Amino acid sequence: MSIPSIFFSSKEERDRIFYDEPGAVSLIAWRIAALLPDPLVQPVAIVCIGTDRSTGDSLGPLVGTMLKEKPLSRFHVYGTLEEPIHAVNLEEKVEAIRLTHDEPFMIAVDACLGRLKSVGAITVAKGPVRPGAGVNKQLLPVGDAHIAGVVNVSGFMEFFVLQNTRLHLVMNMAKTIANSIYEAERFVVRKERLGAPPLSKDRRSLW
């Protein structure tokens, strides 16, 4: 398992974006792009964490699989349904990514558990995700930034909760996250090609 447990603070509750709210893809893409180094001179590795052996924990591998089907040119994707990154191989996979790329900027994608009112919410923030925290496992923190999706409620029998999370919800959240990452990469490519100005402070507009 790789689920981190995130209990939203008041600030995180204000910043969360629900996967099905209007404009969710563009809002999440804006936040991803805003966290990237500027100028972006280092490779970006999208590290999708989780396993297909648990419905609730399959968010990361689903995102990775969906991204593999998109024509990405600047972002490198790791962790899919076919080749998941999970508790057993996490350190090995992260080390392999660091050996493959020169000082990559890592964005970790993972599922998490939270409050009932936060189920379906997605957050994008600086700093690593801490896989396994929600099921009392101490695993390697991953990411210079992270994208976390609340797939179910925390607090009681987490393994059971994960196994009984609705695949419909996880699939739809994965689609929103994958489309957001793809849109963020398109913003980066457009900026590099056109020499666009810095990110607008208005989250409704990237440039």
Side-chain angles (χ1 to χ4, degrees):
M1 291 298 184
S2 64
I3 292 289
S5 184
I6 295 181
F7 298 90
F8 288 101
S9 66
S10 58
K11 180 180 185 300
E12 286 170 326
E13 287 178 346
R14 290 196 302 270
D15 290 344
R16 67 189 178 187
I17 299 170
F18 284 88
Y19 76 94
D20 57 351
E21 70 179 72
V25 168
S26 293
L27 289 171
I28 295 168
W30 178 88
R31 292 184 180 178
I32 295 169
L35 289 176
L36 294 172
D38 188 13
L40 183 59
V41 296
Q42 62 197 112
V44 176
I46 309 297
V47 185
C48 301
I49 303 168
T51 174
D52 61 348
R53 295 179 181 272
S54 168
T55 306
D57 205 15
S58 65
L59 179 69
L62 281 168
V63 171
T65 299
M66 293 174 186
L67 286 174
K68 284 288 189 179
E69 298 173 353
K70 297 182 182 295
L72 296 171
S73 60
R74 291 289 275 107
F75 292 0
H76 307 274
V77 180
Y78 298 91
T80 63
L81 292 172
E82 182 179 6
E83 298 182 7
I85 297 175
H86 46 63
V88 176
N89 66 6
L90 180 64
E91 292 193 30
E92 173 191 344
K93 293 292 186 180
V94 170
E95 180 61 22
I97 293 169
R98 295 192 185 281
L99 291 174
T100 301
H101 303 288
D102 183 20
E103 297 185 358
F105 184 89
M106 291 192 187
I107 301 177
V109 180
D110 202 0
C112 65
L113 301 174
R115 297 174 180 173
L116 178 61
K117 65 180 180 180
S118 297
V119 173
I122 297 165
T123 58
V124 181
K126 292 181 180 179
V129 74
R130 289 173 171 77
V135 288
N136 299 315
K137 287 191 176 183
Q138 299 296 321
L139 300 176
L140 177 74
V142 179
D144 300 287
H146 67 269
I147 302 169
V150 185
V151 298
N152 216 324
V153 179
S154 181
F156 181 70
M157 297 180 66
E158 278 80 1
F159 282 110
F160 180 81
V161 168
L162 291 174
Q163 294 287 352
N164 288 275
T165 297
R166 289 198 64 200
L167 180 59
H168 178 73
L169 171 65
V170 178
M171 284 287 293
N172 284 332
M173 292 182 70
K175 289 177 184 177
T176 295
I177 294 171
N179 288 336
S180 299
I181 293 171
Y182 177 58
E183 188 168 316
E185 198 225 39
R186 290 176 61 198
F187 293 146
V188 170
V189 171
R190 185 188 313 144
K191 181 182 179 183
E192 291 176 340
R193 289 178 179 174
L194 302 179
L199 284 173
S200 167
K201 292 183 180 180
D202 182 352
R203 74 178 189 174
R204 294 170 298 179
S205 174
L206 276 165
W207 314 119

